[in-house]
Each structure stands twice: as C-alpha cells, then as structure tokens.
Amino acid sequence: MSPPASDRRYTFPRTHRLKRRRLIASLFDRSRDDVHTVARGTVRLVYRWASREEVGYDVPLQVGFAPGRTYATNVQRTQTRRYLREAYRLHQHTLREALPADAPPLIAMLLFRGRPEQARTRIPLDVPRVLRATAHALPASSSAD
C-alpha cells in the first residue's frame, strides 16, 4: 500500500541515481531483448530489470538522465538535465508505486529528445506522461535473468 500523498517524501537520494557505465551501456545495447522503451512527447524512458548484484544497492529503482547532443553550450545541457531530474523527483511516486514488491531493481534512463529551447516547457509536461505510461506497462511481477 502506498503512503498518502501528504506523507510522501520528494527526495532523490544518490543511491537512486544511475551512474555506472556498465548499467547505462546495457540500456542501449541493441542485442539485448530485455530492454523496453516508452516515449511520450519529447521524453523517452528506456528501462530494464537488473539483478541486485548488478546494481549493488538495495534500491527498487535507479534512474539516469540524458539530454540530447544538439546543444550549443554545456550550460544548456546541464540545465536540461536539471529540468529532467526535478520533474522526475516531483513525479517519481507514479513509477515507484507501480513496482511489484518482490521485483528486482529497475534501471532506467530518461532521455530528452526535443530542441533545447523546448526543455523548459515540455519536460514538466512530458515526464509525468511517460512515467504514467511506463507504470501501466510494467508487469504485475517480474524476475531478473
């Protein structure tokens, strides 16, 4: 049972951040058949179930953020990444509450695929949509290979 909205904590601890290159690379390996993707608007979420040994932490979910490559400056890239992180932080419960209790960790990357000038307006709209769609796409229970 999920906590009431007033009891939710909107934190995003470092253990929930996807930082390991090996795990990130596994999300973009086209030879894998266990990677899934959901796209809504300018945001795409790529995810797969991992084993607890792979992740290294006892967390239900690890998420990474990546803006596109079509940025004139690193300042714009960093700002877009911050918009993604903040939108996820505010709407993370949509996805976290949909995870089965006995499920292995889920690793995911949120990708922004719009123009840099769209980031400020589109990310707050599209991230909740992609998280809801992913929550509906998750199976009731899952197991890692």
Side-chain angles (χ1 to χ4, degrees), residues 49 100 102-103 138-143:
W49 299 102
D102 61 340
L138 292 176
S141 66
S142 178
S143 62

Side-chain angles (χ1 to χ4, degrees), residues 4-37:
S6 61
D7 292 344
R8 289 181 179 161
R9 294 191 57 201
Y10 294 95
T11 61
F12 186 49
R14 292 205 180 267
T15 56
H16 290 222
R17 295 182 187 183
L18 182 61
K19 292 289 193 179
R20 294 187 176 171
R21 284 182 187 257
R22 181 177 38 86
L23 292 176
I24 294 170
S26 71
L27 289 171
F28 299 100
D29 184 1
R30 293 183 187 257
S31 65
R32 295 185 72 107
D33 59 351
D34 62 343
V35 177
H36 308 283
T37 184

Side-chain angles (χ1 to χ4, degrees), residues 66-71 76-77 80-81 84 110-114 116:
R69 295 184 179 183
T70 59
Y71 287 86
Q76 288 178 325
R77 283 180 56 82
T80 300
R81 191 175 288 114
L84 284 168
L110 271 170
L111 311 168
F112 178 69
R113 294 294 176 233

Side-chain angles (χ1 to χ4, degrees), residues 91-142:
H91 299 283
Q92 66 185 327
H93 296 287
T94 305
L95 187 57
R96 291 183 66 188
E97 291 170 359
L99 293 174
D102 61 340
L106 186 73
I107 58 172
M109 280 293 280
L110 271 170
L111 311 168
F112 178 69
R113 294 294 176 233
R115 294 189 314 269
E117 59 271 8
Q118 292 177 311
R120 185 177 200 149
T121 57
R122 296 300 303 181
I123 288 175
L125 300 173
D126 292 341
V127 168
R129 290 177 52 210
V130 79
L131 292 177
R132 278 192 304 270
T134 304
H136 291 301
L138 292 176
S141 66
S142 178

Side-chain angles (χ1 to χ4, degrees), residues 31-96:
S31 65
R32 295 185 72 107
D33 59 351
D34 62 343
V35 177
H36 308 283
T37 184
V38 176
R40 295 291 183 269
T42 59
V43 177
R44 176 178 298 275
L45 187 119
V46 180
Y47 67 95
R48 77 175 185 88
W49 299 102
S51 67
R52 297 201 189 284
E53 294 79 32
E54 274 183 294
V55 174
Y57 297 105
D58 190 23
V59 294
L61 175 66
Q62 281 193 334
V63 182
F65 307 93
R69 295 184 179 183
T70 59
Y71 287 86
T73 65
N74 283 339
V75 172
Q76 288 178 325
R77 283 180 56 82
T78 302
Q79 190 174 43
T80 300
R81 191 175 288 114
R82 287 179 179 164
Y83 289 143
L84 284 168
R85 196 178 306 127
E86 180 66 7
Y88 172 76
R89 185 185 68 82
L90 293 174
H91 299 283
Q92 66 185 327
H93 296 287
T94 305
L95 187 57
R96 291 183 66 188

